[in-house]
Amino acid sequence: MKKQDMYDSDVMAARPLESFLHDSNAHDDMKIKRVRFRLGKEGVCTFWLLCEALALTDGHILSYRNDEDILTLMDYLWCESFEEVERNLSCFADVGLINSEYLRNGRIVSERMLENAFQVGKKRAAGAKAASNRWAKKKQ
């Protein structure tokens, strides 16, 4: 990675996340409640597994275009069939946890995860710049 990229919050945000913010009151989020009503506790668990997969992916977007993508999602999400993957993703899109337009076009995108990654990217970029400034002062 070029030194200049380390100061670019967008570039830093696209990198895989070691962790992501999980609000302690997420259980009160109406979207999460709707998933629980429709898919049960397992559906909520599956959503957080999807968040983990998105967090670990460059750019935080997963492909959903072909059978291989669905097999990969089955593994990520601990689903037992293509239909289970599709049922979960359809519910997540319907309640607004993932973007339904992107899903129709074969990509899984969560605005919530992208915003989270952007905030992390800003911190990473600021940290890299601060470290660079400290090293520059030490060399003087």
Side-chain angles (χ1 to χ4, degrees), residues 6-57:
M6 294 177 64
Y7 306 142
D8 184 333
S9 57
D10 290 333
V11 171
M12 297 301 275
R15 291 179 47 213
L17 302 172
E18 294 84 24
S19 61
F20 60 92
L21 295 175
H22 176 325
D23 299 330
S24 60
N25 64 346
H27 65 281
D28 283 334
D29 182 316
M30 187 50 72
K31 294 174 184 178
I32 298 292
K33 284 183 178 187
R34 287 181 176 149
V35 169
R36 192 175 73 239
F37 295 150
R38 295 176 189 187
L39 300 174
K41 294 178 281 188
E42 293 81 12
V44 176
C45 174
T46 302
F47 173 68
W48 293 118
L49 291 169
L50 178 63
C51 288
E52 289 176 5
L54 288 166
L56 291 172
T57 303

Side-chain angles (χ1 to χ4, degrees), residues 63 65-74 82:
S63 180
R65 298 179 194 272
N66 55 46
D67 289 352
E68 187 175 313
D69 291 341
I70 297 174
L71 284 169
T72 302
L73 285 166
M74 284 175 62
F82 280 26

Side-chain angles (χ1 to χ4, degrees), residues 69-82 85:
D69 291 341
I70 297 174
L71 284 169
T72 302
L73 285 166
M74 284 175 62
D75 184 51
Y76 277 148
L77 306 180
W78 304 347
C79 292
E80 296 179 4
S81 67
F82 280 26
V85 170

Side-chain angles (χ1 to χ4, degrees), residues 47 50-51 53-55 57-65 69-70 72-74 76-77 85-86 88-90 92-93 97-111 113-114:
F47 173 68
L50 178 63
C51 288
L54 288 166
T57 303
D58 285 330
H60 315 294
I61 297 172
L62 292 169
S63 180
Y64 183 64
R65 298 179 194 272
D69 291 341
I70 297 174
T72 302
L73 285 166
M74 284 175 62
Y76 277 148
L77 306 180
V85 170
E86 291 173 350
N88 281 288
L89 293 179
S90 176
F92 302 156
L97 288 171
I98 61 175
N99 185 295
S100 58
E101 185 66 32
Y102 280 111
L103 186 62
R104 280 191 291 276
N105 291 311
R107 297 187 319 177
I108 301 171
V109 178
S110 166
E111 280 88 3
M113 182 59 67
L114 292 176

